[in-house]
Amino acid sequence: MGVIWWLSAQPQTPGPSLEHPRDWIAHFLAYLSLAFCLGRATGRRGLALVIAAWFGALDEVHQSFVPPREAGVQDWLFDVAGAWLGVRFAVRRPGRAAPEPDAAVHPA
């Protein structure tokens, strides 16, 4: 979260220029990573997704105060899409246990 916040506070992001659609890919991957970490930390998909989506919205507002940056709903939607996939990778669905090996010995 700190890295995302710091990058958003910069007038220009380090590295190559991120014009559409490359900036949307960067948003997607950043929030996929964030939500993956949040999902692993909390163990709860819903909570991790809400935190990531809330932080994405807050960061877009923060970015609107940094000249010449701008905030955008499309950016936030890519944040949420990346976060959704990140929590899906991070947290298994409750109630779905891995199949247990059969302990009985079967004749061959």
Side-chain angles (χ1 to χ4, degrees), residues 9-55:
Q10 305 305 308
Q12 296 288 333
T13 53
S17 175
L18 293 178
E19 301 298 324
H20 298 309
R22 282 188 256 154
D23 69 325
W24 292 331
I25 295 167
H27 277 264
F28 184 88
L29 293 174
Y31 280 84
L32 182 145
S33 301
L34 173 62
F36 181 85
C37 292
L38 289 169
R40 297 296 291 173
T42 64
R44 298 174 57 194
R45 281 184 180 174
L47 178 62
L49 183 59
V50 166
I51 292 170
W54 173 84
F55 184 73

Side-chain angles (χ1 to χ4, degrees), residues 14-108:
S17 175
L18 293 178
E19 301 298 324
H20 298 309
R22 282 188 256 154
D23 69 325
W24 292 331
I25 295 167
H27 277 264
F28 184 88
L29 293 174
Y31 280 84
L32 182 145
S33 301
L34 173 62
F36 181 85
C37 292
L38 289 169
R40 297 296 291 173
T42 64
R44 298 174 57 194
R45 281 184 180 174
L47 178 62
L49 183 59
V50 166
I51 292 170
W54 173 84
F55 184 73
L58 180 65
D59 188 51
E60 287 301 315
V61 171
H62 163 246
Q63 202 170 337
S64 72
F65 290 101
V66 178
R69 305 290 295 263
E70 57 187 43
V73 173
Q74 294 92 348
D75 291 346
W76 181 73
L77 291 174
F78 277 92
D79 295 345
V80 172
W84 180 83
L85 189 58
V87 298
R88 303 286 296 181
F89 286 151
V91 182
R92 293 175 67 87
R93 253 184 14 195
R96 293 194 67 185
E100 294 183 24
D102 190 11
V105 177
H106 297 287

